Amino acid sequence: EAGVVQSPRYKIIEKKQPVAFWCNPISGHNTLYWYLQNLGQGPELLIRYENEEAVDDSQLPKDRFSAERLKGVDSTLKIQPAELGDSAVYLCASSSRPGGKLFFGSGTQLSVL
Amino acid sequence: DQQVKQNSPSLSVQEGRISILNCDYTNSMFDYFLWYKKYPAEGPTFLISISSIKDKNEDGRFTVFLNKSAKHLSLHIVPSQPGDSAVYFCAAAGNYGGSQGNLIFGKGTKLSVKP
């Protein structure tokens, strides 16, 4: 069974540029999460989807961050414009049910110069 | 305000000995707890979990203990192996308000197992 797939693995951009991350969850997993992990910290939730509905986006900085999961499968997280403080690892995870065991992708390491 | 706390940033243990990683939580509504393991440049991987109706769960060399009155859980690894060297995250979830279904993570403890 394929795991959670994320791309790209690494991204280097200049500040004020846009950037997008893509995630393909485990087949059949209706719950999808985007987490942010800063160096030396644990993952912090950005947004949670149940199918195509964003059921918790309270921690998503909506002035520059956006996300979508149009068909309830793949998801895209976008930052526009990127700031220096956005440099971090962006993790996607999926679960067969809310609050259940999460399966994480390898993450996207973003560096904003 | 951290709801899940791992107060030891690092732990060093000799191969073959026991590793004990600790985690404290503040929210009494948490009812499901998990431990994740993370190697560099990889995403966290699930290790073991425990429901609040239990006080112990065992899986091979890994055992998680839950003390609800103290709001404390611990992960025991016996015997420790060099391949166990990684960052371990404690996470909690609960059925409360709008955060139902969200896992809250601690900051992690970096375990080093020396040969």
Side-chain angles (χ1 to χ4, degrees):
Chain A
E1 177 182 281
V4 176
V5 179
Q6 288 188 248
S7 69
R9 285 298 307 274
Y10 305 93
K11 189 73 176 179
I12 301 174
I13 61 171
E14 293 187 348
K15 63 180 180 181
K16 301 186 181 179
Q17 294 299 305
V19 65
F21 315 122
W22 175 81
C23 173
N24 181 249
I26 291 174
S27 177
H29 281 193
N30 296 327
T31 307
L32 183 145
Y33 306 76
W34 283 101
Y35 278 86
L36 164 71
Q37 186 174 16
N38 287 303
L39 191 63
Q41 303 293 313
E44 299 172 28
L45 181 70
L46 289 172
I47 188 168
R48 174 167 66 96
Y49 282 94
E50 296 298 334
N51 298 301
E52 61 274 7
E53 182 183 359
V55 296
D56 188 349
D57 63 356
S58 58
Q59 302 303 311
L60 189 72
K62 298 181 185 64
D63 57 337
R64 298 183 301 108
F65 286 65
S66 65
E68 60 183 14
R69 193 184 184 199
L70 293 176
K71 296 183 179 180
V73 180
D74 295 2
S75 178
T76 303
L77 177 69
K78 298 178 182 177
I79 309 175
Q80 182 170 13
E83 297 179 351
L84 295 176
D86 296 332
S87 296
V89 176
Y90 292 81
L91 294 162
C92 178
S94 69
S95 174
S96 59
R97 63 176 179 85
K101 184 168 60 177
L102 265 61
F103 294 83
F104 283 88
S106 297
T108 296
Q109 172 79 60
L110 174 67
S111 297
V112 182
L113 307 178
Chain B
D1 179 28
Q2 258 195 303
Q3 299 187 69
V4 178
K5 300 178 184 179
Q6 294 177 259
N7 293 319
S8 297
S10 63
L11 175 67
S12 183
V13 172
Q14 204 68 32
E15 180 179 6
R17 298 291 188 98
I18 183 172
S19 295
I20 300 177
L21 295 93
N22 293 304
C23 178
D24 297 294
Y25 60 95
T26 58
N27 193 330
S28 58
M29 298 298 289
F30 288 144
D31 58 7
Y32 185 50
F33 304 90
L34 306 90
W35 284 94
Y36 280 80
K37 176 179 179 179
K38 186 182 183 303
Y39 292 118
E42 295 183 11
T45 56
F46 170 78
L47 191 57
I48 192 169
S49 64
I50 187 167
S51 164
S52 60
I53 63 174
K54 296 184 175 181
D55 55 17
K56 177 182 174 181
N57 189 26
E58 192 171 352
D59 184 1
R61 297 186 297 114
F62 303 90
T63 302
V64 56
F65 296 91
L66 176 62
N67 182 334
K68 289 187 291 295
S69 61
K71 294 191 179 67
H72 176 84
L73 63 155
S74 61
L75 174 68
H76 293 210
I77 306 173
V78 183
S80 301
Q81 299 174 354
D84 296 329
S85 297
V87 177
Y88 289 78
F89 292 100
C90 173
N95 184 5
Y96 61 102
S99 298
Q100 178 185 358
N102 295 339
L103 286 191
I104 309 298
F105 286 82
K107 291 186 176 183
T109 296
K110 183 176 182 180
L111 174 65
S112 299
V113 181
K114 299 183 177 180

